[in-house]
Amino acid sequence: MNIKTATIEIAAASERIRARLGEPHDPARAAHALAAVLARWREPRFAIRRSAAARIAVQLGFSAPLVDASLDALLEPFTIDALTAFAESAPQRRELLGFIMAGNAPGAGLHEIVIALIAGAGVAIKTATAEPHFYAHLKQSIAEFDAGLSARIEVFNWGREDRDLTAALAAAVDAIVAYGDDATIEAIGGVRTIGFGSKLSGAIVTGEALRESSVRDAAAGIVRDVTLFEQLGCLSPHHVFVEDRSGRAARYFAHAMVDEIAALSVSMPAPDKMMLEDAAALRRVREIARWRELGEEAIELFEGPRLEWAVIYDRDASFRPSPGFRTVSVSPFRDREDLLARLAPAAGRLEAFSIAGRRADRAVALAKDLEALGVTYVAAPGAIQSPPLRWRHGGGIFLDTMMAPGAFP
């Protein structure tokens, strides 16, 4: 399809959706339809899910078990109770929203899509060339449950280099909701754009979680969080901070993570191939760690075969972004002040943290400190990839806009 034809189709699709937006909308019905669809998607044998998962695995080079586990985590929050509760409180919307999706994490943006559809908005979704399958299959499955709701959805696909088509989409909708790295969001621009740019997540292991009975559970949960989506989503932990004055307990926790990540790589194999730039980034991180270790710095590199995974114990590190693909740093912190100092360089770029520890008061206090740094979601280890429907993603600007009365900005 050439650009002129595609531009005409974008305009025609927007008119089809707008015609539907003029019809009566029942948020409760939409919530029930979406709950039924997503319940089917939680069934591994559901044919449309199987088709989507197989195509995603091939497209991204992820192993099939990894894709299945990642989809399970993604879909977990979308229960009938959560969706109907939202339907009871959300003001009705009549806007047509254009969604520009990233290609690194299949299903990213599902929270916002579900919220928009329950509220009554129409959605025109531009999928990434790296991952064009999830939303096309989701629309197909919605059509089987509620044709009217499906008619409020259009799914397109073109590359980021086709800026004329992105401009045509922006001109056809009332607002753009964009995902991707900061450069992508900046390139889209516009006063009617809500952008979810580059974000980072991490984990904290409190002293209470360092008892032998808790260490393995905490390490297993964090490793699972790291592994899902090949550590490429905004909810994937990059750095683990362990409450420990001497550094011995943090090193022990790194060893526990090594055992867990090696075991999980058997049941959820790492990609057997990747883009050259990704491989180069992984090698660079490892070589820097290796040379620092040879220089007798307080660092220890643990790595799997080929480029399957890496755990880096780094005693003195502040929050360090990872290149993804199961590469995670572990560092000790002495006290609250030390922890905040180590997190400060990433302030404003943090999205979520898991906290390991049984004391609720510690978790509440840490959550308040993290919120001040921009963190929008705190979870237990193993649950960070399944935030609730009302997760204040990116600071909550989209959720707040959808819940506010009046016209969409």
Side-chain angles (χ1 to χ4, degrees), residues 32 80 89 112 120 152 220 234 239 268 314 325 334 347 354 372:
H32 278 84
I80 183 65
S89 61
E112 288 75 36
R152 292 171 178 254
C234 68
H239 205 137
M268 292 185 204
D314 192 341
F325 298 99
R334 295 185 305 276
S354 66

Side-chain angles (χ1 to χ4, degrees), residues 78-100:
F78 299 97
T79 63
I80 183 65
D81 290 344
L83 272 59
T84 54
F86 180 79
E88 292 171 358
S89 61
Q92 291 206 25
R93 314 297 313 195
R94 289 292 183 268
E95 294 86 4
L96 171 55
L97 305 179
F99 285 81
I100 298 177

Side-chain angles (χ1 to χ4, degrees), residues 60-352:
L60 295 179
F62 293 176
S63 68
L66 185 280
V67 172
D68 270 331
S70 298
L71 290 178
D72 287 343
L74 169 73
L75 296 165
E76 184 178 326
F78 299 97
T79 63
I80 183 65
D81 290 344
L83 272 59
T84 54
F86 180 79
E88 292 171 358
S89 61
Q92 291 206 25
R93 314 297 313 195
R94 289 292 183 268
E95 294 86 4
L96 171 55
L97 305 179
F99 285 81
I100 298 177
M101 299 306 189
N104 56 338
L110 185 59
H111 285 69
E112 288 75 36
I113 293 290
V114 168
I115 285 171
L117 290 172
I118 292 175
V123 297
I125 304 170
K126 199 289 280 188
T127 56
T129 53
E131 200 295 276
H133 304 296
F134 179 85
Y135 282 106
H137 282 73
L138 181 65
K139 174 178 167 60
Q140 178 187 349
S141 58
I142 291 173
E144 294 185 2
F145 284 82
D146 190 323
L149 186 62
S150 176
R152 292 171 178 254
I153 307 167
E154 291 286 348
V155 181
F156 303 99
N157 183 256
W158 60 79
R160 68 172 65 190
E161 69 278 3
D162 293 322
R163 296 184 179 179
D164 289 345
L165 297 183
T166 302
L169 177 64
V173 301
D174 297 310
I176 288 287
V177 183
Y179 303 80
D181 58 30
D182 292 337
T184 299
I185 305 302
E186 184 176 354
I188 295 169
V191 296
R192 297 180 301 117
T193 298
I194 294 177
F196 294 95
S198 303
K199 290 288 186 175
L200 308 167
S201 293
I204 296 170
V205 180
T206 66
E208 298 81 33
L210 292 174
R211 290 187 293 273
E212 184 67 32
S213 60
S214 302
V215 166
R216 292 294 168 181
D217 287 343
I222 293 171
V223 161
R224 183 175 180 81
D225 291 334
V226 168
T227 301
L228 296 181
F229 299 101
E230 285 301 344
Q231 203 186 7
L232 298 176
C234 68
L235 296 171
S236 299
H238 291 238
H239 205 137
V240 182
F241 293 92
V242 181
E243 188 174 27
D244 170 28
R245 287 185 172 275
S246 70
R248 290 190 296 272
R251 183 179 279 106
Y252 175 72
F253 193 82
H255 279 269
M257 288 188 63
V258 168
D259 292 342
E260 296 295 336
I261 205 167
L264 196 59
S265 291
V266 174
S267 59
M268 292 185 204
D272 55 8
K273 60 181 178 180
M274 61 179 63
M275 299 291 289
L276 180 61
E277 56 266 34
D278 293 325
L282 294 175
R283 291 190 181 279
R284 183 165 54 250
V285 166
R286 293 177 188 215
E287 290 307 313
I288 290 172
R290 207 182 321 278
W291 280 104
R292 290 181 60 200
E293 189 174 5
L294 288 172
E296 299 186 352
E297 294 187 42
I299 188 170
E300 192 170 358
L301 170 65
F302 309 92
E303 55 185 327
R306 297 178 294 139
L307 296 175
E308 287 185 3
W309 55 264
V311 177
I312 303 169
Y313 169 78
D314 192 341
R315 185 190 65 191
D316 302 318
S318 295
F319 193 102
R320 177 183 295 121
S322 161
F325 298 99
R326 314 185 195 194
T327 302
V328 61
S329 297
V330 180
S331 301
F333 69 94
R334 295 185 305 276
D335 50 30
R336 174 177 178 268
E337 289 70 25
D338 184 29
L339 174 63
L340 294 179
R342 290 172 186 258
L343 298 181
R349 294 185 296 152
L350 299 174
E351 187 70 65

